[in-house]
Amino acid sequence: QVQLVESGGGLVQPGGSLRLSCAASTTISSINAMGWYRQAPGKQREFVATITSGGSTNYADSVKGRSTISRDSARNTVYLQMNSLKSEDTAVYSCNANVLHYSIAYNYWGQGTQVTVSS
């Protein structure tokens, strides 16, 4: 089992910035990939960004160019820096960890942190 704890959400004005954190209960080097997803009210959960154990990153088109996913292996933590925030970014942001155990893939989720972008 991998436990994930998100933090850093809050209320920001349009154009502002937030830095989300996801702390894992195991060394993130043992996790295939970690990423961020978000879900707005009445909508399906959508992909935001991922980072692999090798450091490769991927971003959704909606956040590309204004968001950065990074990792701190010493702290077992993955971050999502979000700049130039828009009202459309308002959602619950959840951390995901993809782990491979004996050729079986598992996905673990944190409880989420609320991001609200409003003036």
Side-chain angles (χ1 to χ4, degrees):
Q1 288 280 336
V2 177
Q3 295 181 352
L4 305 170
V5 180
E6 304 99 329
S7 61
L11 174 65
V12 295
Q13 295 183 344
S17 298
L18 281 177
R19 185 179 178 90
L20 306 182
S21 299
C22 174
S25 62
T26 188
T27 55
I28 59 176
S29 61
S30 68
I31 301 174
N32 294 338
M34 296 184 66
W36 291 93
Y37 294 73
R38 66 188 183 186
Q39 186 171 22
K43 300 186 66 176
Q44 295 292 307
R45 183 165 57 197
E46 65 177 356
F47 163 78
V48 177
T50 57
I51 185 167
T52 69
S53 60
S56 298
T57 59
N58 287 285
Y59 299 92
D61 289 340
S62 58
V63 303
K64 191 175 299 182
R66 59 189 183 94
S67 297
T68 303
I69 188 169
S70 61
R71 66 185 183 186
D72 185 341
S73 297
R75 299 178 183 271
N76 296 330
T77 301
V78 169
Y79 304 95
L80 181 67
Q81 177 71 42
M82 300 186 294
N83 303 317
S84 302
L85 285 164
K86 309 172 182 179
S87 60
E88 305 91 85
D89 296 317
T90 296
V92 174
Y93 285 70
S94 298
C95 183
N96 166 265
N98 181 265
V99 183
L100 188 65
H101 290 294
Y102 302 103
S103 301
I104 301 175
Y106 299 86
N107 280 290
Y108 299 91
W109 295 91
Q111 293 183 336
T113 184
Q114 176 72 49
V115 172
T116 302
V117 184
S118 177
S119 59

